Amino acid sequence: MEEKVTYRRTLTLFQVVALGLAWMSPMIYFTVYGIAYEGSSGWMTSSYTVAAAAILLTALSYIVMSKRFSSSASAYTYVKKAIHPYAGFLVGWVVLLEYIFSPVIACLTFGLYMHAQFPAVPASVWIIGINLIFAIVNIIGIKFSAGLSKIFVVVQILFIALFCAFLIKGLAANAAAIAVQPLLPHGEWGISAILTGASIVCFSFLGFDTVTTLADETINAHKTIPRAIMLIVLIAAVMYIVVSVLTKLVFPSLSFTNGDAAGFELMRLVGGAGLQSLFISVLIMAVFTQGVIAVTSASRLLHVMGNDSTLPRRFFGKLHSKYKTPVNSIAAVCVVSMLALVLSLETAIKFVSLGALTAFVFVNGSVVVQMYVKEKRRSFSQTIVYLIIPLTGACFVGWLLTLLDRTALIMGACWLMVGILYHLYRTKPALAAIMQKRQLD
């Protein structure tokens, strides 16, 4: 009889937080700076504050469900157990978009940046090379990935602190220019711009949910995972808001020649060519760590779905006997990541956004169904925690879903249809047996 191989529980709170921040990548603040600045009409501080509050509502729902169901797989498991197995499958299928296409974004971004630095080497070479490294690092084990992520996340945070130090120096040199008024909204135009900006910068917070896929490898997961979720969201919120405040005080208005490279231009304004060069180095490091943890999270989701026989169990449900990692799932994720050779960055981002926002809506709904409806926790405080907060979070995220363009929604509908057809194919023998039994009865 074949011995069952299980994960090693080695991850501490600090390591889980590091992995979550690595997926989120704090440096994303600068990579989307131009899009966010233009979308919010310069109201970055207020937009990030609104976005942080909205994300916190959904994070609270993840905390509730991670305490109630401590096993891995995030939204897939929560919806399956709280609402219905078929609903869980559909959500898990859509969430695959977020998890599987995140490594595609990392590979593509890495290839583009490295090609810009070394034009003689084609981007495709960098994409293939980094994809192989992602596979090797993940096969070796989660502890190695956690150690690597911890170092690189600290480097990102130190860079952001250095950036803030440059801004503070600028403020000290011209203290009379400090004004709080530009940070505050005024009039209908300001509020509209802030809400539009919030819908954009929400994507800077994506990634906190991925740590729930690591529950089976985390020490004391039912306590560690909820704490990690809260810490990740709060750390990100503080960083983004502080940087936005300082930047606004130093530069009340900005304009960029290239919105996609606005972060690069901002570095030159703040710290000159030296800070600009350091920025590129840290940014490449951030992309690398985001790719490593993206492959980790995607492979864990595939493994759980394989264990449940939602996906082929023989392939996705296996762990390597030596490394205790889902090698087959890792390989599958890295094969899909080769799409970075042909896909555009915009298309990959649309897939990730659609998957993440869908997961957020249904996790909020799972809290209401499980805690308020099934378990009837309906005291005054419980009504706020298990009904009002998750419904508010679901409505806000649902509104964000409506802001996605038509192409993204059509792609999502097509992917969902593929999932429905696949589920019918997988369950065809069971359905035939049920129909035969009914005919006999």
Side-chain angles (χ1 to χ4, degrees):
M1 185 176 178
E2 187 178 353
E3 184 182 354
K4 185 178 180 180
V5 183
T6 58
Y7 287 113
R8 295 191 185 104
R9 289 189 180 272
T10 59
L11 296 178
T12 63
L13 175 63
F14 185 57
Q15 289 174 321
V16 175
V17 171
L19 286 165
L21 287 173
W23 199 104
M24 182 181 287
S25 184
M27 292 292 287
I28 197 173
Y29 176 88
F30 300 110
T31 60
V32 302
Y33 193 88
I35 299 171
Y37 190 86
E38 292 174 6
S40 65
S41 299
W43 300 93
M44 294 279 283
T45 303
S46 300
S47 290
Y48 268 107
T49 302
V50 172
I55 290 296
L56 187 59
L57 295 177
T58 297
L60 291 173
S61 290
Y62 271 91
I63 288 172
V64 169
M65 297 307 288
S66 65
K67 287 180 178 179
R68 184 63 182 79
F69 303 110
S70 59
S71 58
S72 295
S74 187
Y76 164 69
T77 299
Y78 302 155
V79 176
K80 182 183 74 172
K81 293 185 175 181
I83 300 177
H84 192 274
Y86 186 64
F89 163 76
L90 293 179
V91 170
W93 185 263
V94 176
V95 169
L96 280 174
L97 293 175
E98 175 192 2
Y99 284 77
I100 288 181
F101 280 88
S102 293
V104 174
I105 292 174
C107 289
L108 184 53
T109 306
F110 188 87
L112 292 173
Y113 280 127
M114 292 303 290
H115 178 62
Q117 290 294 301
F118 306 98
V121 182
S124 59
V125 173
W126 294 112
I127 289 171
I128 294 170
I130 196 64
N131 201 18
L132 291 174
I133 294 173
F134 288 162
I136 293 169
V137 170
N138 273 278
I139 288 170
I140 290 173
I142 190 68
K143 195 168 184 179
F144 181 79
S145 300
L148 197 66
S149 298
K150 180 172 62 178
I151 295 170
F152 286 178
V153 164
V154 169
V155 170
Q156 291 181 64
I157 293 174
L158 289 176
F159 176 83
I160 292 173
L162 176 64
F163 179 80
C164 290
F166 272 96
L167 292 173
I168 292 171
K169 181 181 178 182
L171 285 175
N174 191 14
I178 298 177
V180 178
Q181 184 61 33
L183 302 177
L184 303 175
H186 56 87
E188 185 177 347
W189 175 85
I191 293 173
S192 175
I194 288 166
L195 293 175
T196 302
S199 70
I200 296 171
V201 302
C202 263
F203 302 117
S204 300
F205 292 90
L206 297 185
F208 73 88
D209 57 311
T210 60
V211 298
T212 58
T213 65
L214 306 175
D216 291 337
E217 297 161 89
T218 301
I219 300 169
N220 201 10
H222 72 284
K223 290 184 178 180
T224 302
I225 296 298
R227 291 172 182 171
I229 292 171
M230 183 58 68
L231 283 172
I232 291 166
V233 173
L234 291 178
I235 289 170
V238 169
M239 281 194 298
Y240 297 154
I241 292 172
V242 168
V243 175
S244 298
V245 169
L246 292 175
T247 305
K248 184 70 173 180
L249 290 174
V250 177
F251 304 105
S253 61
L254 287 167
S255 60
F256 304 102
T257 56
N258 182 2
D260 291 338
F264 192 67
E265 294 181 34
L266 181 64
M267 294 301 133
R268 181 173 289 276
L269 284 173
V270 173
L275 187 64
Q276 206 172 39
S277 299
L278 183 60
F279 167 71
I280 289 296
S281 300
V282 177
L283 190 61
I284 290 173
M285 192 182 298
V287 171
F288 175 80
T289 51
Q290 193 272 334
V292 169
I293 188 58
V295 173
T296 301
S297 301
S299 62
R300 269 51 178 183
L301 177 59
L302 289 175
H303 177 252
V304 172
M305 295 179 78
N307 264 342
D308 290 348
S309 295
T310 301
L311 296 176
R313 186 184 181 92
R314 282 189 175 183
F315 186 84
F316 292 104
K318 284 187 175 181
L319 292 178
H320 193 278
S321 58
K322 179 181 178 181
Y323 297 113
K324 305 295 189 292
T325 53
V327 174
N328 290 345
S329 297
I330 291 168
V333 172
C334 289
V335 167
V336 174
S337 296
M338 288 299 182
L339 288 172
L341 295 170
V342 295
L343 280 183
S344 70
L345 187 61
E346 182 182 5
T347 301
I349 288 174
K350 286 176 181 178
F351 275 121
V352 171
S353 300
L354 184 64
L357 294 177
T358 301
F360 291 174
V361 170
F362 278 91
V363 169
N364 279 306
S366 296
V367 172
V368 177
V369 174
Q370 180 65 38
M371 310 304 289
Y372 194 78
V373 177
K374 286 186 176 179
E375 299 186 16
K376 298 181 179 180
R377 301 190 184 189
R378 299 174 183 175
S379 68
F380 179 76
S381 60
Q382 289 172 337
T383 298
I384 293 175
V385 174
Y386 301 137
L387 181 65
I388 296 175
I389 289 178
L391 282 181
T392 303
C395 290
F396 185 84
V397 176
W399 172 67
L400 292 180
L401 268 173
T402 65
L403 297 179
L404 292 176
D405 64 26
R406 187 178 178 184
T407 303
L409 296 175
I410 291 174
M411 290 191 303
C414 292
W415 175 251
L416 183 61
M417 184 58 64
V418 171
I420 292 171
L421 293 174
Y422 168 77
H423 189 271
L424 288 174
Y425 169 77
R426 293 279 296 175
T427 57
K428 187 177 179 180
L431 290 173
I434 293 171
M435 294 298 294
Q436 185 177 12
K437 185 179 177 181
R438 286 184 177 179
Q439 288 174 358
L440 291 174
D441 292 342

